[in-house]
Amino acid sequence: MTSHDCSLSVLHAATELFPWIKTGGLADVAAALPEALGTIGVDTRLVIPGFPDVISALRDDRVVYEAQGLLGTSRMQLRLGTLPSRNTPVYVIDAPSLYARPGSPYSHPHNGDWGDNLIRFAMLGWTAARLAEGGLDPHWRPDVLHVHDWHPALALAYVADSWPPVKSVFTIHNIDYQGRFPPADFNRLDLPHWLCAPYGPLEFFGDLCFLKAGVLLAHKVTTVSPTYAREVTEGQHGHGIDSVIRSRGDALIGILNGVNYSVWDPRNDEHLPARFGIDDLAGKARCKTTLRSRVGLNDRGDAPIFVVVSRLGWQKGSDLIANAADDLVARGAQLVVIGSGDRQIEERFKELQNRHGGMVTIHTEFSEPLAHLAIAGGDALIMPSRQEPCGLTQMYAKRYGTLPLVHAVGGLADTVTIETGFSFVERESSLTATIDRVLQTHQDRPRWMQMVSTAMRTDHSWGKSAEAYRNIYLQILGNTPS
Ligand code: ADP
């Protein structure tokens, strides 16, 4: 907190921002958390790369800084502006040679990761760092820098030698993605050498590792659920980086993500053919009918529909769903998959769709309206993730009265209870056995409706999490005991 101003100010740095640039939950969090902090009085701003849809949505902007040749980049302008329907001011890095590319923020449409990702994300880290030091915008300097995932994590390296120190929080959204680069790239980053010395904060088994720098250099490290905070320190989920995370001891805290109910609420969801709430579920039945005709499922009346809205891959346990699909159909249920990713798994679902016409369907487009319709029109959402840092769709599903069936790991273990869904622990049960439990319960209408009602009433709003983050900011500023 600055002496002239008793408000707390925080700069968030991230690569994704719903609805302009999204590949997963990070976009939803980067959109919702700064707004939630704003509503509890934290002066919050965000810095993000200038991807095409962000640049075209930016309003009332002005250039606060510009440079030529920074990190070898031809032109970079830092613009401060606003985005439609948002209160959080945003700094956008307008560097067309790095970011003016359509599609995923990370990879070429057909050729894997962009070859210049090192510099694309170093630029984000550099900008966040210099803003946090007060060097780019003379009118605003945050008390705390809050960095999300590996992409902006070099910000912590760029402020490592700053004086006075820049107070910082690093949030791990998923340790599967670590930002590893060849060691020779270090010379392109314009950083002091001690950072990449053997066992230094950026060095990891001979590579550069952005995630490691974030974990070691931030004042506090958070991750997106309490159970995941424990799992990332354990060998089986730690991806080799568990010992680094363990070394942070009590500096690691798990805070559950929330749901933005202004986007995910069946009572006012603009993507649905009919809206509904706990006291009037007629709209949910209409959504089910519309979902069937939209995705090409037969009309099987009350037969339960299992929905998947997810990236497809090993982490998400999508192969387990494909393995269980024959049994699911044999029991009279239907399956809708909205998602893409691992090509082999996509092919397996296409083969199931061919074999079980009208009972199984897959839609590989990334479609916000279809995701909402599936979550509203389904009866149960399947999420047998092998690892799940937090997971958002199971919390969305609860609000829509679509009961989650989950593997009890990470945030799934923290958000799905026996009153609100179905979970299994691998050693004790299987996905197919749990599908059977869902189907038996679905037959027991009073019990099912009781669970639907409890799930819909659960409050996963951001307020509590925003308070928890504010407490962490205050702790590292020394304003409350840690
Ligand atoms: P992760 O971030 O690991 O992908 P989360 O459950 O935290 O998983 O968040 C996934 C987000 O991406 C949710 O908002 C979900 O609705 C969305 N999503 C996933 N696949 C699709 C898709 N094919 N179309 C639209 N939205 C999708």
Side-chain angles (χ1 to χ4, degrees):
M1 239 172 284
T2 48
S3 53
H4 60 277
D5 180 356
C6 66
S7 80
L8 167 65
S9 56
V10 181
L11 175 68
H12 286 255
T15 42
E16 300 190 26
L17 183 66
F18 172 83
W20 296 282
I21 182 89
K22 170 168 172 171
T23 70
L26 174 63
D28 295 3
V29 176
L33 175 58
E35 294 282 303
L37 287 165
T39 63
I40 58 169
V42 179
D43 173 16
T44 311
R45 295 188 183 185
L46 179 68
V47 56
I48 52 170
F51 297 118
D53 287 350
V54 174
I55 295 280
S56 30
L58 193 64
R59 300 278 176 275
D60 308 320
D61 58 306
R62 63 186 170 84
V63 174
V64 294
Y65 175 82
E66 56 191 316
Q68 291 280 346
L70 191 59
L71 297 171
T73 299
S74 50
R75 178 182 72 87
M76 175 277 215
Q77 286 189 326
L78 184 64
R79 300 171 178 278
L80 172 63
T82 57
L83 289 164
S85 310
R86 292 183 59 81
N87 295 317
T88 310
V90 60
Y91 293 100
V92 173
I93 307 168
D94 186 4
S97 65
L98 299 180
Y99 306 128
R101 303 171 197 179
S104 159
Y106 315 118
S107 51
H108 183 276
H110 312 293
N111 277 339
D113 288 349
W114 292 108
D116 56 352
N117 272 354
L118 175 92
I119 297 299
R120 296 174 79 227
F121 298 121
M123 176 67 85
L124 174 61
W126 183 92
T127 308
R130 297 294 172 252
L131 275 168
E133 287 172 336
L136 300 188
D137 183 350
H139 303 291
W140 194 77
R141 177 182 178 170
D143 301 312
V144 178
L145 169 63
H146 188 155
V147 170
H148 296 270
D149 260 356
W150 75 262
H151 320 93
L154 274 201
L156 283 327
Y158 284 111
V159 297
D161 286 334
S162 304
W163 192 262
V166 169
K167 301 293 174 112
S168 56
V169 175
F170 179 62
T171 296
I172 304 170
H173 292 261
N174 192 334
I175 53 165
D176 274 4
Y177 303 98
Q178 302 186 349
R180 305 273 286 251
F181 296 93
D185 281 345
F186 183 77
N187 294 330
R188 304 171 61 201
L189 297 176
D190 199 14
L191 280 166
H193 262 98
W194 68 269
L195 288 164
C196 85
Y199 304 105
L202 247 177
E203 189 274 345
F204 194 51
F205 293 106
D207 281 347
L208 303 178
C209 176
F210 282 33
L211 185 81
K212 183 184 173 196
V215 169
L216 288 185
L217 296 171
H219 288 90
K220 290 269 186 198
V221 179
T222 72
T223 188
V224 290
S225 69
T227 297
Y228 194 61
R230 196 191 70 239
E231 290 170 350
V232 292
T233 64
E234 293 168 355
Q236 76 268 33
H237 291 294
H239 295 268
I241 208 154
D242 45 298
S243 57
V244 175
I245 301 175
R246 258 197 315 278
S247 75
R248 295 306 316 266
D250 290 347
L252 173 71
I253 300 150
I255 299 176
L256 205 57
N257 285 334
V259 173
N260 182 354
Y261 288 123
S262 63
V263 176
W264 289 97
D265 188 336
R267 286 170 298 191
N268 46 39
D269 187 329
E270 60 187 32
H271 298 299
L272 304 186
R275 301 184 184 171
F276 60 91
I278 303 172
D279 301 325
D280 180 10
L281 286 167
K284 185 165 172 69
R286 271 195 59 200
C287 290
K288 184 166 178 172
T289 307
T290 307
L291 174 65
R292 278 190 169 124
S293 63
R294 168 77 174 76
V295 299
L297 286 183
N298 294 341
D299 183 2
R300 287 287 172 109
D302 286 341
I305 303 179
F306 288 77
V307 297
V308 178
V309 178
S310 174
R311 292 183 287 118
L312 300 183
W314 186 89
Q315 183 217 324
K316 295 289 180 185
S318 315
D319 51 319
L320 304 176
I321 304 173
N323 292 347
D326 285 331
D327 288 334
L328 188 149
V329 172
R331 289 153 171 78
Q334 295 176 307
L335 176 66
V336 179
V337 179
I338 314 291
S340 61
D342 183 311
R343 290 286 142 81
Q344 276 184 344
I345 298 178
E346 283 179 24
E347 286 309 314
R348 285 193 66 195
F349 281 117
K350 284 181 187 154
E351 185 272 320
L352 284 158
Q353 172 174 269
N354 290 340
R355 209 147 42 77
H356 297 296
M359 296 301 280
V360 175
T361 105
I362 170 160
H363 293 257
T364 52
E365 69 261 41
F366 196 95
S367 160
E368 197 70 23
L370 191 51
H372 283 245
L373 179 63
I375 287 175
D379 295 280
L381 174 102
I382 315 190
M383 233 173 144
S385 309
R386 291 188 169 89
Q387 296 151 26
E388 194 56 76
C390 178
L392 293 171
T393 36
Q394 82 282 7
M395 293 193 274
Y396 301 157
K398 283 169 72 177
R399 181 50 63 109
Y400 286 70
T402 300
L403 300 182
L405 182 179
V406 303
H407 183 208
V409 291
L412 299 175
D414 293 336
T415 55
V416 177
T417 62
I418 51 169
E419 292 84 19
T420 60
F422 306 84
S423 61
F424 67 100
V425 179
E426 221 163 347
R427 287 181 304 278
E428 293 165 15
S429 184
S430 68
L431 179 57
T432 304
T434 317
I435 288 171
D436 281 339
R437 269 204 286 139
V438 174
L439 295 174
Q440 279 157 17
T441 312
H442 190 255
Q443 298 284 315
D444 179 352
R445 292 315 282 170
R447 166 114 190 276
W448 184 269
M449 293 318 294
Q450 178 60 45
M451 288 179 75
V452 165
S453 159
T454 310
M456 291 180 83
R457 275 179 225 279
T458 311
D459 182 6
H460 287 298
S461 54
W462 269 101
K464 215 162 40 167
S465 308
E467 293 284 354
Y469 280 109
R470 181 170 62 177
N471 286 342
I472 287 175
Y473 304 146
L474 292 173
Q475 272 176 23
I476 59 179
L477 292 168
N479 290 35
T480 59
S482 49

